[in-house]
Amino acid sequence: MSGEAISGAWPPRSSDAFPRIGRLPAYVLAQVNAEKRARIDAGDDVIDLGMGNPDLATPEHIVNELLTHAADGKHHRYSASRGIYGLREAVAEHYRTRYDVTLDAEEEVVVTIGVKEGITHLMLALLEPGDTVLVPSPVYPIHKYSVLFAGGQVRTIPLVGDDQGNVAGDALLAAVEDAVNSTWPRPKALFLSFPHNPTTLVADRSFLEQAVEVCRRNQLLLIHDFAYADFGFDAEPPSLLQIPGAKEIGVEFFSMSKSYCMPGWRVGFCVGNPAMVQALTRVKSYLDYGIFQPIQIAAAHALRSGQQCVVATRETYRSRRDALVSSLAEAGWPVAPPPATMFMWAPIPGPFLDLDSVEFARLLLRETGVVVSPGAGFGEEGEGHVRFALIEPEDRLREAGERIGRVLRNHASVQRI
Ligand SMILES: Cc1ncc(COP(=O)(O)O)c(C=O)c1O
């Protein structure tokens, strides 16, 4: 067995001495975060729209189900790493009623400790060191880092959209085929994720059909992250598994974090291709003992109860989106309303085009107290944009727009002098 030596002094003095960690790119948000912390510590009124961390409380019926079971000592033992049967069956039922998709709760569903954990361990299960994975970019970072953690290589594919907020599907799939034909060894897998974070782009069923066809033809495994399944404002986003043949080559990840306002509970699922699901199940059987059982019971309850709470959450994000779009438009920063997700992906406005996204995010924080995510945090292709997360109430989003408007107007008048 050979491997890269620990670099630098012995004993190691920094985490970067470990080659796999040293190869991870610098965390671009660190600088913005440090400045944010300093402003909060100084008592400033910071409007934090940086991280996609939902602020809405988990619906009461789900919390009550947890409380009912949390006190029962029989649930305090290790649970099942692949998730209790009742939860896997609730997921299968959810796919049946919602998408008319049949899943075998034994072979085709595994519970994960959130989608992030699931994706990371799926890559560990599927990849050999040096395997290449195709990842559209801008990218939700774990789609890329999971591959790096597993010792694989990432080949990014530019992700672009049309004026209506749809993915430019033909261009994306042509780039996938180009990458397959020009990369050796041949890429092993493709990540997709629609509705998309951070760009908010959506994909329709015909795009997913073409994507399945391209993956079949090129022997690519397909991994679809469906974290924003419930956040299409104009049309219901399709599940990958609704596409005939998708289950033969792919899996889908679904999360309780956004749809049921349960980000801190850490519950997600990987469903679909039995070989891939079982590979992840095997890895997890070595690594964890399952989520605290009352949480799993409450998650099953959430999936099996009425879904009005999901609709209410989506409508809250829609109103917030509208509030931010209109206050930014009044501020002189027109941004097209996103068709989906809980984000806005905004091109850096004209007067600040000489700044990169980190510099612009820092300027916004310094001059307005509004925190946004710099686009560069989502890969090079995200440069030139910032992302707003809709995680504050409407009045705070309007206040953010007003503060930004003052800076834009100030800047414009300074330029005229
Ligand atoms: C595309 C995408 N996938 C996954 C996640 C995280 O999901 P989970 O909380 O289930 O790990 C997020 C959270 O922001 C996301 O945007």
Side-chain angles (χ1 to χ4, degrees), residues 58-59 62-64 66 113 261-267 291 294-295 298-299:
T58 307
I62 306 173
V63 176
N64 286 341
L66 169 70
I113 308 171
C261 305
M262 295 169 68
W265 299 49
R266 312 307 302 129
V267 189
I291 302 162
I295 289 182

Side-chain angles (χ1 to χ4, degrees), residues 52 113-117 119 140 143 193 197 225 227-228 255-258 263 266-268 343:
I113 308 171
V115 165
K116 267 179 113 175
E117 179 271 334
I119 284 178
Y140 177 63
H143 298 170
S193 181
N197 174 18
D225 180 347
Y228 299 98
S255 174
M256 300 299 287
S257 297
K258 312 290 160 109
R266 312 307 302 129
V267 189
F343 303 108

Side-chain angles (χ1 to χ4, degrees), residues 239-257:
S239 158
L240 172 69
L241 298 181
Q242 289 175 299
I243 309 304
K247 210 201 277 181
E248 283 160 40
I249 56 154
V251 289
E252 182 159 89
F253 281 92
F254 174 62
S255 174
M256 300 299 287
S257 297

Side-chain angles (χ1 to χ4, degrees), residues 68-78 292-294:
T68 303
H69 296 282
D72 186 340
K74 78 169 185 272
H75 295 310
H76 295 174
R77 310 184 69 188
Y78 292 132
F292 183 48
Q293 205 148 282

